[in-house]
Amino acid sequence: MEPSTRNHRLLFMTVTLMFWIAMYTYVPTLSPYLSSRGLSLDLIGIVLGSYGFMQLLIRFPLGMLSDRWGKRKPFILLGMLAASASCLLFIIPGSWMWPLAGRAMAGLCASTWVAFTVMYANYFAAEEATKAMGNISVMTVSGQMIGMLLSGWMSDGFGEDAPFVLGAVIGGIGLLLALLIHEPDKPLHERSGISFSMIRSVIQTKLLLQVAMLSLLAHCVLFITMFGFTPLKAEALGSSGLELTLLVFAFMAPHALASMFTASWFAPRFGNWVTIGTGFILSAICTVSICFVHNIWVLMFTQIINGFAQGLHIPLLLGLAIRDVNPQGRATAMGLYQAVYAAGMFAGPFLAGWLNESWGLNSGFALGGVFGLMAVLLCVVFYRHDRKKMIQGVLK
Protein backbone atom coordinates (compact mmCIF):
# COMPACT_ATOMS: atom_id res chain seq x y z
CA MET A 1 0.00 0.00 0.00
CA GLU A 2 1.32 3.47 -0.89
CA PRO A 3 2.10 5.75 2.11
CA SER A 4 -0.35 8.36 0.82
CA THR A 5 -3.17 5.81 0.65
CA ARG A 6 -2.31 4.56 4.12
CA ASN A 7 -2.40 8.13 5.47
CA HIS A 8 -5.75 8.79 3.77
CA ARG A 9 -7.23 5.68 5.37
CA LEU A 10 -5.80 6.60 8.78
CA LEU A 11 -7.28 10.11 8.66
CA PHE A 12 -10.60 8.75 7.46
CA MET A 13 -10.74 6.18 10.24
CA THR A 14 -9.89 8.88 12.81
CA VAL A 15 -12.82 10.99 11.57
CA THR A 16 -15.03 7.89 11.64
CA LEU A 17 -14.11 7.28 15.28
CA MET A 18 -14.93 10.89 16.20
CA PHE A 19 -18.22 10.70 14.29
CA TRP A 20 -19.43 7.79 16.39
CA ILE A 21 -17.93 9.04 19.66
CA ALA A 22 -19.79 12.35 19.24
CA MET A 23 -23.08 10.55 18.63
CA TYR A 24 -22.73 8.02 21.43
CA THR A 25 -21.27 9.99 24.35
CA TYR A 26 -24.77 10.36 25.76
CA VAL A 27 -26.54 7.17 24.62
CA PRO A 28 -26.22 5.11 27.85
CA THR A 29 -27.50 8.00 29.98
CA LEU A 30 -30.12 9.21 27.48
CA SER A 31 -33.17 7.31 28.70
CA PRO A 32 -32.40 8.03 32.40
CA TYR A 33 -31.75 11.69 31.41
CA LEU A 34 -35.11 11.92 29.67
CA SER A 35 -36.80 10.28 32.66
CA SER A 36 -35.19 12.85 34.98
CA ARG A 37 -36.70 15.60 32.83
CA GLY A 38 -40.15 14.18 33.54
CA LEU A 39 -40.86 12.31 30.29
CA SER A 40 -43.12 9.25 30.48
CA LEU A 41 -41.98 5.92 29.02
CA ASP A 42 -44.08 6.34 25.87
CA LEU A 43 -42.65 9.84 25.28
CA ILE A 44 -39.15 8.45 25.83
CA GLY A 45 -39.97 5.85 23.17
CA ILE A 46 -41.01 8.62 20.77
CA VAL A 47 -37.79 10.59 21.36
CA LEU A 48 -35.66 7.45 20.94
CA GLY A 49 -37.62 6.43 17.86
CA SER A 50 -37.24 9.83 16.17
CA TYR A 51 -33.59 8.90 15.53
CA GLY A 52 -34.65 6.05 13.28
CA PHE A 53 -37.65 7.88 11.81
CA MET A 54 -35.45 10.68 10.48
CA GLN A 55 -33.14 8.12 8.87
CA LEU A 56 -36.09 6.27 7.39
CA LEU A 57 -37.09 9.47 5.59
CA ILE A 58 -33.76 10.70 4.24
CA ARG A 59 -31.15 7.93 4.08
CA PHE A 60 -32.22 6.49 0.71
CA PRO A 61 -32.68 9.89 -1.02
CA LEU A 62 -29.34 10.99 0.40
CA GLY A 63 -27.63 7.90 -1.02
CA MET A 64 -29.15 8.50 -4.45
CA LEU A 65 -28.13 12.16 -4.33
CA SER A 66 -24.57 11.18 -3.42
CA ASP A 67 -24.41 8.79 -6.38
CA ARG A 68 -25.93 11.35 -8.77
CA TRP A 69 -23.33 13.93 -7.74
CA GLY A 70 -20.55 11.36 -7.50
CA LYS A 71 -19.49 13.02 -4.22
CA ARG A 72 -19.24 11.74 -0.64
CA LYS A 73 -17.19 14.34 1.24
CA PRO A 74 -19.88 17.09 1.44
CA PHE A 75 -22.19 14.63 3.19
CA ILE A 76 -19.46 13.65 5.63
CA LEU A 77 -18.99 17.32 6.55
CA LEU A 78 -22.76 17.66 7.00
CA GLY A 79 -22.71 14.64 9.31
CA MET A 80 -20.02 16.03 11.58
CA LEU A 81 -21.84 19.38 11.79
CA ALA A 82 -25.12 17.65 12.65
CA ALA A 83 -23.38 15.57 15.35
CA SER A 84 -22.37 18.71 17.24
CA ALA A 85 -25.72 20.45 16.73
CA SER A 86 -27.69 17.45 18.00
CA CYS A 87 -25.74 17.36 21.27
CA LEU A 88 -26.33 21.05 21.90
CA LEU A 89 -30.08 20.77 21.31
CA PHE A 90 -30.43 18.28 24.17
CA ILE A 91 -29.19 20.69 26.82
CA ILE A 92 -31.64 23.50 25.99
CA PRO A 93 -33.94 23.64 29.05
CA GLY A 94 -37.73 23.60 28.90
CA SER A 95 -39.97 21.64 26.58
CA TRP A 96 -39.48 17.96 25.74
CA MET A 97 -39.45 19.10 22.09
CA TRP A 98 -35.78 20.09 22.46
CA PRO A 99 -34.62 16.52 23.20
CA LEU A 100 -36.88 15.36 20.37
CA ALA A 101 -35.19 17.84 18.01
CA GLY A 102 -31.78 16.76 19.28
CA ARG A 103 -32.46 13.08 18.63
CA ALA A 104 -33.97 13.85 15.22
CA MET A 105 -30.83 15.85 14.37
CA ALA A 106 -28.78 12.83 15.43
CA GLY A 107 -30.85 10.88 12.90
CA LEU A 108 -29.79 13.35 10.20
CA CYS A 109 -26.21 12.88 11.33
CA ALA A 110 -26.47 9.09 11.17
CA SER A 111 -28.02 9.30 7.70
CA THR A 112 -24.73 10.61 6.34
CA TRP A 113 -23.16 7.28 7.30
CA VAL A 114 -24.12 6.21 3.77
CA ALA A 115 -21.36 8.47 2.45
CA PHE A 116 -18.83 7.29 5.04
CA THR A 117 -19.21 3.61 4.16
CA VAL A 118 -19.09 4.09 0.40
CA MET A 119 -16.18 6.54 0.47
CA TYR A 120 -14.13 4.19 2.64
CA ALA A 121 -14.89 1.31 0.25
CA ASN A 122 -13.44 3.47 -2.55
CA TYR A 123 -10.03 3.23 -0.87
CA PHE A 124 -10.12 -0.51 -1.66
CA ALA A 125 -10.43 -2.65 -4.78
CA ALA A 126 -13.99 -3.71 -5.63
CA GLU A 127 -13.38 -7.34 -4.61
CA GLU A 128 -12.29 -6.17 -1.14
CA ALA A 129 -15.65 -4.53 -0.31
CA THR A 130 -16.49 -7.02 2.44
CA LYS A 131 -13.05 -6.54 4.00
CA ALA A 132 -13.49 -2.75 3.89
CA MET A 133 -16.90 -3.02 5.57
CA GLY A 134 -15.39 -5.27 8.22
CA ASN A 135 -12.70 -2.67 8.95
CA ILE A 136 -15.14 0.21 9.17
CA SER A 137 -17.49 -1.87 11.34
CA VAL A 138 -14.66 -2.23 13.85
CA MET A 139 -14.15 1.55 13.81
CA THR A 140 -17.89 2.03 14.24
CA VAL A 141 -18.12 -0.24 17.26
CA SER A 142 -14.89 1.17 18.72
CA GLY A 143 -16.17 4.75 18.42
CA GLN A 144 -19.52 3.79 19.92
CA MET A 145 -17.79 1.97 22.78
CA ILE A 146 -15.46 4.88 23.58
CA GLY A 147 -18.36 7.34 23.53
CA MET A 148 -20.56 5.16 25.68
CA LEU A 149 -17.77 4.46 28.18
CA LEU A 150 -17.21 8.20 28.55
CA SER A 151 -20.92 8.78 29.14
CA GLY A 152 -21.34 7.45 32.68
CA TRP A 153 -18.01 8.89 33.84
CA MET A 154 -18.82 12.36 32.47
CA SER A 155 -22.33 12.31 33.89
CA ASP A 156 -21.16 11.23 37.37
CA GLY A 157 -18.22 13.62 37.49
CA PHE A 158 -19.50 16.76 35.77
CA GLY A 159 -23.29 16.61 35.71
CA GLU A 160 -25.95 15.17 33.44
CA ASP A 161 -25.33 17.76 30.68
CA ALA A 162 -21.60 16.95 30.44
CA PRO A 163 -21.87 14.04 27.94
CA PHE A 164 -23.74 16.31 25.50
CA VAL A 165 -21.14 19.08 25.80
CA LEU A 166 -18.32 16.58 25.22
CA GLY A 167 -20.11 15.18 22.17
CA ALA A 168 -20.49 18.68 20.70
CA VAL A 169 -16.77 19.40 21.19
CA ILE A 170 -15.66 16.09 19.64
CA GLY A 171 -18.03 16.62 16.72
CA GLY A 172 -16.52 20.07 16.11
CA ILE A 173 -12.97 18.70 16.11
CA GLY A 174 -14.07 15.91 13.78
CA LEU A 175 -15.55 18.50 11.41
CA LEU A 176 -12.19 20.30 11.17
CA LEU A 177 -10.36 17.03 10.49
CA ALA A 178 -12.97 16.01 7.90
CA LEU A 179 -12.04 19.08 5.84
CA LEU A 180 -8.67 17.38 5.24
CA ILE A 181 -10.12 14.09 3.98
CA HIS A 182 -9.07 13.07 0.48
CA GLU A 183 -11.88 11.80 -1.73
CA PRO A 184 -10.49 9.09 -4.06
CA ASP A 185 -10.67 9.79 -7.77
CA LYS A 186 -13.39 7.82 -9.51
CA PRO A 187 -12.75 5.84 -12.70
CA LEU A 188 -13.93 7.54 -15.89
CA HIS A 189 -16.94 5.22 -16.29
CA GLU A 190 -18.21 6.22 -12.84
CA ARG A 191 -17.94 9.99 -13.08
CA SER A 192 -21.24 10.61 -14.84
CA GLY A 193 -23.20 9.48 -11.79
CA ILE A 194 -25.72 6.70 -11.45
CA SER A 195 -28.57 6.46 -13.98
CA PHE A 196 -32.20 5.89 -13.09
CA SER A 197 -32.08 2.45 -14.76
CA MET A 198 -29.16 1.61 -12.47
CA ILE A 199 -31.18 2.77 -9.46
CA ARG A 200 -33.95 0.37 -10.47
CA SER A 201 -31.42 -2.44 -10.84
CA VAL A 202 -29.98 -1.71 -7.39
CA ILE A 203 -33.42 -1.74 -5.77
CA GLN A 204 -34.12 -5.17 -7.27
CA THR A 205 -30.88 -6.76 -6.00
CA LYS A 206 -32.07 -9.86 -4.13
CA LEU A 207 -29.25 -10.14 -1.58
CA LEU A 208 -29.55 -6.45 -0.71
CA LEU A 209 -33.26 -6.83 0.06
CA GLN A 210 -32.68 -9.97 2.13
CA VAL A 211 -30.00 -8.48 4.36
CA ALA A 212 -31.91 -5.19 4.67
CA MET A 213 -34.90 -7.02 6.12
CA LEU A 214 -32.69 -8.92 8.57
CA SER A 215 -30.92 -5.70 9.54
CA LEU A 216 -34.28 -4.06 10.25
CA LEU A 217 -35.01 -6.78 12.81
CA ALA A 218 -31.46 -6.58 14.21
CA HIS A 219 -31.83 -2.86 14.83
CA CYS A 220 -35.26 -3.35 16.42
CA VAL A 221 -33.52 -5.53 19.00
CA LEU A 222 -30.48 -3.25 19.37
CA PHE A 223 -32.51 -0.08 19.92
CA ILE A 224 -34.86 -1.78 22.36
CA THR A 225 -31.92 -3.05 24.43
CA MET A 226 -28.51 -1.39 24.85
CA PHE A 227 -29.32 1.71 22.76
CA GLY A 228 -32.77 1.97 24.29
CA PHE A 229 -34.18 0.60 27.55
CA THR A 230 -31.44 -1.62 29.00
CA PRO A 231 -29.90 1.42 30.81
CA LEU A 232 -33.30 2.04 32.42
CA LYS A 233 -33.37 -1.60 33.52
CA ALA A 234 -29.92 -1.12 35.04
CA GLU A 235 -31.13 2.03 36.83
CA ALA A 236 -34.14 0.11 38.16
CA LEU A 237 -31.70 -2.44 39.59
CA GLY A 238 -29.91 0.39 41.43
CA SER A 239 -26.80 0.67 39.25
CA SER A 240 -24.29 3.49 39.78
CA GLY A 241 -22.57 5.48 37.04
CA LEU A 242 -19.58 3.14 37.26
CA GLU A 243 -21.78 0.07 36.93
CA LEU A 244 -23.52 1.63 33.93
CA THR A 245 -20.09 2.17 32.35
CA LEU A 246 -19.21 -1.48 33.03
CA LEU A 247 -22.52 -2.54 31.48
CA VAL A 248 -21.65 -0.63 28.32
CA PHE A 249 -18.19 -2.22 28.22
CA ALA A 250 -19.72 -5.66 28.80
CA PHE A 251 -21.79 -5.19 25.63
CA MET A 252 -19.44 -3.24 23.37
CA ALA A 253 -16.13 -5.09 23.93
CA PRO A 254 -17.46 -8.50 22.76
CA HIS A 255 -19.34 -6.68 19.99
CA ALA A 256 -16.08 -5.16 18.74
CA LEU A 257 -14.23 -8.47 19.10
CA ALA A 258 -16.82 -10.39 17.11
CA SER A 259 -16.89 -7.66 14.43
CA MET A 260 -13.15 -8.14 13.86
CA PHE A 261 -13.52 -11.83 13.04
CA THR A 262 -17.01 -12.25 11.58
CA ALA A 263 -16.12 -11.69 7.91
CA SER A 264 -12.62 -13.16 8.09
CA TRP A 265 -13.13 -16.23 10.30
CA PHE A 266 -16.71 -17.15 11.22
CA ALA A 267 -18.42 -16.65 7.83
CA PRO A 268 -15.77 -18.50 5.75
CA ARG A 269 -15.98 -21.52 8.08
CA PHE A 270 -19.68 -21.71 8.82
CA GLY A 271 -21.30 -19.79 5.96
CA ASN A 272 -23.07 -16.44 5.93
CA TRP A 273 -26.57 -17.57 6.89
CA VAL A 274 -25.42 -19.92 9.66
CA THR A 275 -23.25 -17.19 11.18
CA ILE A 276 -26.01 -14.59 10.95
CA GLY A 277 -28.67 -16.99 12.25
CA THR A 278 -26.51 -18.02 15.22
CA GLY A 279 -26.09 -14.36 16.15
CA PHE A 280 -29.85 -13.83 16.09
CA ILE A 281 -30.55 -16.96 18.19
CA LEU A 282 -28.15 -15.84 20.92
CA SER A 283 -29.43 -12.26 20.78
CA ALA A 284 -33.07 -13.36 21.10
CA ILE A 285 -32.29 -15.55 24.13
CA CYS A 286 -30.31 -12.81 25.87
CA THR A 287 -32.97 -10.17 25.20
CA VAL A 288 -35.79 -12.28 26.63
CA SER A 289 -33.62 -13.22 29.62
CA ILE A 290 -33.44 -9.53 30.64
CA CYS A 291 -37.07 -9.90 31.77
CA PHE A 292 -35.98 -12.30 34.50
CA VAL A 293 -32.84 -10.51 35.68
CA HIS A 294 -32.82 -9.07 39.22
CA ASN A 295 -29.10 -8.38 39.61
CA ILE A 296 -26.88 -5.88 37.76
CA TRP A 297 -24.06 -8.41 37.41
CA VAL A 298 -26.35 -10.97 35.80
CA LEU A 299 -27.57 -8.22 33.47
CA MET A 300 -23.95 -7.57 32.50
CA PHE A 301 -23.47 -11.26 31.70
CA THR A 302 -26.47 -11.22 29.35
CA GLN A 303 -24.98 -8.20 27.61
CA ILE A 304 -21.60 -9.89 27.13
CA ILE A 305 -23.33 -12.65 25.14
CA ASN A 306 -25.69 -10.21 23.43
CA GLY A 307 -22.84 -7.94 22.34
CA PHE A 308 -20.92 -10.87 20.86
CA ALA A 309 -24.07 -12.15 19.14
CA GLN A 310 -24.82 -8.81 17.49
CA GLY A 311 -21.19 -8.57 16.40
CA LEU A 312 -21.74 -11.82 14.49
CA HIS A 313 -24.51 -10.53 12.25
CA ILE A 314 -24.48 -6.73 12.00
CA PRO A 315 -21.04 -6.32 10.28
CA LEU A 316 -21.69 -9.28 7.98
CA LEU A 317 -25.06 -7.87 6.90
CA LEU A 318 -23.38 -4.53 6.15
CA GLY A 319 -20.77 -6.14 3.89
CA LEU A 320 -23.32 -8.29 2.07
CA ALA A 321 -25.49 -5.22 1.35
CA ILE A 322 -23.09 -3.98 -1.35
CA ARG A 323 -21.46 -7.25 -2.40
CA ASP A 324 -23.60 -7.74 -5.52
CA VAL A 325 -23.87 -4.04 -6.46
CA ASN A 326 -21.70 -2.18 -9.00
CA PRO A 327 -19.38 0.46 -7.46
CA GLN A 328 -21.27 3.39 -9.01
CA GLY A 329 -24.48 2.28 -7.34
CA ARG A 330 -23.13 1.52 -3.88
CA ALA A 331 -24.29 4.71 -2.15
CA THR A 332 -27.80 4.09 -3.47
CA ALA A 333 -27.64 0.48 -2.26
CA MET A 334 -26.27 1.54 1.11
CA GLY A 335 -28.88 4.29 1.36
CA LEU A 336 -31.67 1.77 0.73
CA TYR A 337 -30.13 -0.73 3.17
CA GLN A 338 -29.71 1.84 5.91
CA ALA A 339 -33.15 3.37 5.31
CA VAL A 340 -34.76 -0.05 5.76
CA TYR A 341 -32.93 -0.83 8.98
CA ALA A 342 -33.68 2.70 10.21
CA ALA A 343 -37.29 1.54 10.30
CA GLY A 344 -36.12 -0.87 13.00
CA MET A 345 -34.44 1.95 14.92
CA PHE A 346 -37.80 3.72 14.92
CA ALA A 347 -40.25 0.84 15.30
CA GLY A 348 -38.30 -1.04 17.99
CA PRO A 349 -38.14 1.65 20.69
CA PHE A 350 -41.50 3.17 19.67
CA LEU A 351 -43.40 -0.11 20.10
CA ALA A 352 -41.38 -1.07 23.17
CA GLY A 353 -42.04 2.34 24.76
CA TRP A 354 -45.78 1.90 24.25
CA LEU A 355 -45.69 -1.62 25.71
CA ASN A 356 -43.49 -0.52 28.61
CA GLU A 357 -45.87 2.27 29.58
CA SER A 358 -48.85 -0.12 29.59
CA TRP A 359 -47.36 -3.40 30.79
CA GLY A 360 -44.04 -2.59 32.45
CA LEU A 361 -40.42 -2.37 31.37
CA ASN A 362 -39.94 -6.11 30.78
CA SER A 363 -42.61 -6.29 28.07
CA GLY A 364 -40.39 -4.38 25.67
CA PHE A 365 -37.57 -6.91 26.09
CA ALA A 366 -40.01 -9.74 25.36
CA LEU A 367 -40.91 -7.94 22.12
CA GLY A 368 -37.21 -7.70 21.26
CA GLY A 369 -36.91 -11.48 21.67
CA VAL A 370 -39.80 -11.97 19.24
CA PHE A 371 -38.03 -9.82 16.64
CA GLY A 372 -34.88 -11.91 17.07
CA LEU A 373 -36.77 -15.17 16.53
CA MET A 374 -38.42 -13.75 13.39
CA ALA A 375 -34.94 -13.06 12.01
CA VAL A 376 -33.85 -16.65 12.76
CA LEU A 377 -36.78 -17.97 10.72
CA LEU A 378 -35.84 -15.71 7.79
CA CYS A 379 -32.23 -16.95 7.95
CA VAL A 380 -33.48 -20.55 7.72
CA VAL A 381 -35.60 -19.67 4.65
CA PHE A 382 -32.73 -17.86 2.91
CA TYR A 383 -30.28 -20.67 3.73
CA ARG A 384 -32.59 -23.36 2.31
CA HIS A 385 -33.28 -21.34 -0.82
CA ASP A 386 -29.58 -20.76 -1.52
CA ARG A 387 -28.73 -24.40 -0.81
CA LYS A 388 -31.49 -25.59 -3.16
CA LYS A 389 -30.25 -23.23 -5.87
CA MET A 390 -26.66 -24.45 -5.42
CA ILE A 391 -27.72 -28.11 -5.70
CA GLN A 392 -29.70 -27.38 -8.85
CA GLY A 393 -26.66 -25.64 -10.32
CA VAL A 394 -24.46 -28.67 -9.61
CA LEU A 395 -26.99 -31.10 -11.16
CA LYS A 396 -27.10 -29.02 -14.34
Side-chain angles (χ1 to χ4, degrees):
M1 185 193 306
E2 295 181 3
S4 60
T5 302
R6 185 164 53 247
N7 291 337
H8 293 325
R9 290 186 188 179
L10 180 61
L11 174 61
F12 190 90
M13 294 176 82
T14 300
V15 172
T16 298
L17 274 173
M18 301 190 81
F19 176 81
W20 289 109
I21 291 172
M23 277 209 296
Y24 277 76
T25 51
Y26 60 81
V27 167
T29 57
L30 179 56
S31 51
Y33 174 78
L34 295 175
S35 180
S36 72
R37 287 185 61 162
L39 275 68
S40 62
L41 287 173
D42 52 350
L43 277 181
I44 291 174
I46 291 173
V47 172
L48 296 177
S50 67
Y51 175 75
F53 184 72
M54 179 65 73
Q55 295 175 61
L56 179 63
L57 291 179
I58 65 176
R59 256 184 163 167
F60 185 43
L62 189 148
M64 289 194 297
L65 186 61
S66 177
D67 275 336
R68 290 292 292 174
W69 287 356
K71 296 291 184 182
R72 321 298 181 194
K73 185 173 177 178
F75 299 97
I76 291 173
L77 296 175
L78 173 63
M80 297 307 306
L81 180 62
S84 285
S86 68
C87 292
L88 295 175
L89 285 169
F90 275 106
I91 58 178
I92 298 176
S95 171
W96 67 277
M97 295 296 290
W98 289 116
L100 178 65
R103 200 58 180 151
M105 182 64 73
L108 169 62
C109 172
S111 297
T112 65
W113 183 237
V114 174
F116 277 85
T117 51
V118 176
M119 186 169 171
Y120 185 68
N122 286 342
Y123 288 121
F124 294 79
E127 61 272 14
E128 294 183 301
T130 302
K131 175 185 175 182
M133 292 302 98
N135 291 346
I136 204 167
S137 291
V138 173
M139 290 301 101
T140 299
V141 175
S142 299
Q144 291 172 346
M145 181 169 65
I146 293 169
M148 293 172 77
L149 288 175
L150 289 171
S151 181
W153 173 70
M154 290 293 295
S155 182
D156 269 3
F158 303 97
E160 61 181 9
D161 288 343
F164 301 101
V165 175
L166 178 63
V169 171
I170 292 174
I173 296 171
L175 175 61
L176 296 177
L177 290 177
L179 293 170
L180 305 176
I181 285 178
H182 167 72
E183 182 154 12
D185 293 330
K186 297 170 70 66
L188 288 174
H189 71 277
E190 294 183 34
R191 292 180 185 170
S192 58
I194 190 171
S195 65
F196 286 105
S197 62
M198 179 65 75
I199 292 173
R200 185 167 57 251
S201 175
V202 167
I203 293 173
Q204 294 172 349
T205 303
K206 179 183 174 182
L207 182 60
L208 169 61
L209 298 178
Q210 288 176 333
V211 299
M213 180 58 65
L214 288 171
S215 195
L216 184 156
L217 294 169
H219 284 80
C220 278
V221 176
L222 183 60
F223 278 76
I224 286 173
T225 54
M226 182 52 68
F227 296 166
F229 294 98
T230 299
L232 267 183
K233 177 73 174 187
E235 186 182 62
L237 295 175
S239 65
S240 63
L242 175 60
E243 287 170 335
L244 185 59
T245 299
L246 291 175
L247 178 68
V248 169
F249 186 77
F251 177 87
M252 298 302 294
H255 189 55
L257 182 65
S259 297
M260 293 174 63
F261 297 104
T262 294
S264 61
W265 198 87
F266 290 107
R269 283 164 176 77
F270 303 107
N272 291 331
W273 296 128
V274 172
T275 302
I276 294 168
T278 300
F280 275 115
I281 290 172
L282 293 174
S283 182
I285 293 172
C286 290
T287 301
V288 172
S289 69
I290 295 174
C291 301
F292 307 99
V293 168
H294 301 289
N295 181 286
I296 184 63
W297 301 106
V298 177
L299 181 62
M300 287 184 193
F301 177 75
T302 67
Q303 295 315 293
I304 290 172
I305 307 300
N306 202 12
F308 184 84
Q310 301 212 21
L312 285 178
H313 55 67
I314 288 179
L316 193 53
L317 292 171
L318 180 65
L320 291 174
I322 60 172
R323 191 190 70 181
D324 294 350
V325 178
N326 291 328
Q328 61 266 39
R330 282 181 175 172
T332 298
M334 192 59 70
L336 173 62
Y337 171 76
Q338 295 181 4
V340 171
Y341 79 57
M345 294 178 176
F346 165 69
F350 178 78
L351 293 173
W354 176 75
L355 283 175
N356 290 342
E357 184 67 21
S358 302
W359 303 98
L361 191 58
N362 289 332
S363 60
F365 299 122
L367 176 65
V370 171
F371 287 139
L373 291 176
M374 289 170 60
V376 173
L377 293 176
L378 284 177
C379 287
V380 171
V381 172
F382 297 154
Y383 171 78
R384 289 182 174 178
H385 182 271
D386 285 0
R387 186 173 177 80
K388 181 180 178 181
K389 188 176 180 180
M390 181 182 68
I391 292 173
Q392 289 175 342
V394 171
L395 292 176
K396 289 181 180 179

